[in-house]
Each structure stands twice: as C-alpha cells, then as structure tokens.
Amino acid sequence: MIDLYTAATPNGHKASIMLEELGVPYTVHHVNLALGQQKTPEYLKINPNGRIPTIVDRDNGDFAVFESGAILIYLAEKYGRFLPADVKGRSEAIQWLMFQMGGIGPMQGQANVFFRYWHEKYQPAIDRYQNETRRLYMVLEKRLEDRDYLCGEYGIADIANFTWVNIHSWSGVSIDGLPNLQAWRDRIRARPAVQRGLAVPDDRVEAKVMVETAQYILQR
Ligand SMILES: N[C@@H](CCC(=O)N[C@@H](CS)C(=O)NCC(=O)O)C(=O)O
C-alpha cells in the first residue's frame, strides 16, 4: 500500500495521476497548505523540503519519496511501466521530465505567484515568468510536431508536463497558436486515469485550496 500526501496542485496531481494510471491501491492524505501542514516536524521527516507531494511505500519498509519527478521515477521503476527500460529511451524520458522539473515548474510556479497571489502587481516579474513559460511551451510545441507523446509512448514525461500545461490559464499563459500542444493536452486529458488523478484529493476543494494557498503565501 502507498500513502500519498498531497494537495490539488500540478505537482500533487503528477503523483495521483501516476497512481491512477498504475491502478495500484493508495491512501490519500490531504495536506492543507494554507494551514502549513507541510511544515510540521512530523511531515518534514518524510519531506525535508516541506512541500507536497510525498509518497510513503508501506510495502518497502515505509520508504518515503519526495520531489514529484522522483516520485514518478520511483513508481515507474517499481511497477515497470511508463518509463522505457532501454538506456536511450530512459534517458530521453528523464530529459523531458527534467525539462519540466527545472523549467516549466519553477517558471510557471513563479508566474502563479506574481500574477495571482502577490499583494502588489509588479509587471516586470509577471512578464518575465509568463514569457518564459510561454517560451518553454513553444519548446514542447516543436517537440510534438511529429509525435503524439513527448517520448514515443505516453509516459512520466507527459504526465509531468501535462499537469502544468493543463492550468495554463490560471497562470495567465496562453496556448493559442500552439496546435500540437493543445492536441497533446486534449489527448492526455481524455484518459480516464488522468481525470481520476486530477480529482485527488477532491475536486470540490480545489478552488478553495487555491485560495487558501494564496492566502498562505501572502502571510509568509
Ligand atoms: N520541486 C517540488 C516542488 C513542490 C512544490 O512546490 N509544491 C507546492 C505545491 S505545487 C507546495 O507544497 N507549496 C507549499 C509551500 O510552498 O509551502 C516537487 O516537484 O515536488
């Protein structure tokens, strides 16, 4: 059994989508970011960075994994799915996963902060992070010119990048004029496991959690 500590955010949804795709049993623990539950001493034992998501594998000596990209790799390797086994295919998938972890995640995350949450509008910061996110989307657009998924078959690189592209409008970043990206987003969004994963921890609390998170960030 796997315990998933998460909230309704793109990084959290990577883990829940992957668990749904694998069809393995897991227990959801909703971490309320607004209340700072991700910073409690108990939670910091499983995620020293004090963020979500985290998984704890109860069938593997209560092994804890933090960082959403590392969670995707751990689950892919444990269950032998969604990550090619050959050296080149595996490297390609990890390259596009790192592209999201080191690029789209941080840039779009900051776009959210300055466009949505910050107490004052500082336009240069909004422009910088939105433009950089759009530039990264254009890299995906080019990659998807001649393929349905980022690395041949649907896999962890698609899941990671999808959860961020999927909330582009929340970040104020357009995907107009990027037809390959739109088609890829729609293809992934149509998967039943993706829809189930996006509803974790509970789609009814998603809007509320976004607002709570904004309030929390402003208080820091
Ligand atoms: N690189 C980390 C980023 C995790 C992250 O930033 N999580 C956000 C939600 S998407 C969070 O927990 N924010 C609460 C906070 O900053 O205290 C990962 O991919 O797991």
Side-chain angles (χ1 to χ4, degrees):
M1 176 66 85
I2 294 203
D3 280 328
L4 168 64
Y5 296 82
T6 196
T9 76
N11 289 325
H13 285 150
K14 286 180 213 167
S16 49
I17 288 173
M18 182 66 171
L19 287 161
E20 289 292 337
E21 290 284 9
L22 291 167
V24 296
Y26 66 102
T27 305
V28 177
H29 304 269
H30 178 213
V31 179
N32 189 321
L33 303 180
L35 299 182
Q37 288 173 348
Q38 72 279 26
K39 309 292 183 200
T40 62
E42 201 181 335
Y43 185 75
L44 290 174
K45 284 185 196 150
I46 57 169
N47 187 325
N49 196 28
R51 296 195 161 193
I52 63 92
T54 310
I55 59 166
V56 179
D57 189 346
R58 301 294 173 200
D59 301 325
N60 196 7
D62 289 352
F63 186 65
V65 188
F66 76 107
E67 283 295 322
S68 57
I71 291 172
L72 290 176
I73 295 173
Y74 177 82
L75 291 172
E77 289 184 337
K78 174 164 176 155
Y79 294 100
R81 294 182 64 197
F82 302 112
L83 178 63
D86 66 291
V87 175
K88 279 160 94 175
R90 187 172 184 278
S91 170
E92 238 179 13
I94 290 177
Q95 288 168 49
W96 286 98
L97 174 63
M98 294 296 169
F99 168 85
Q100 183 283 309
M101 292 296 294
I104 290 186
M107 291 301 128
Q108 196 171 337
Q110 292 305 311
N112 286 345
V113 167
F114 286 102
F115 179 63
R116 286 278 167 197
Y117 311 141
W118 208 243
H119 37 77
E120 61 187 89
K121 285 278 165 258
Y122 184 56
Q123 200 57 44
I126 296 172
D127 290 346
R128 160 72 186 156
Y129 292 119
Q130 287 182 338
N131 290 344
E132 182 61 4
T133 303
R134 170 79 187 191
R135 187 192 68 76
L136 293 162
Y137 285 0
M138 286 161 73
V139 175
L140 291 179
E141 170 73 9
K142 177 111 189 74
R143 173 73 179 175
L144 291 163
E145 235 166 42
D146 53 359
R147 67 195 87 217
D148 282 350
Y149 298 104
L150 291 171
C151 303
E153 284 180 15
Y154 171 74
I156 60 173
D158 297 292
I159 294 172
N161 284 280
F162 163 79
T163 61
W164 282 93
V165 172
N166 193 44
I167 62 144
H168 69 92
S169 51
W170 177 257
S171 317
V173 180
S174 166
I175 58 169
D176 289 353
L178 305 178
N180 303 323
L181 189 74
Q182 287 178 24
W184 167 86
R185 187 267 320 259
D186 293 346
R187 211 172 287 130
I188 296 173
R189 202 155 60 179
R191 297 175 69 91
V194 169
Q195 288 169 24
R196 290 195 301 275
L198 288 174
V200 172
D202 182 341
D203 52 2
R204 286 167 303 178
V205 300
E206 185 155 10
K208 185 166 162 280
V209 166
M210 288 272 195
V211 171
E212 288 175 346
T213 306
Q215 287 165 348
Y216 169 74
I217 287 172
L218 286 176
Q219 280 161 17
R220 277 194 300 187

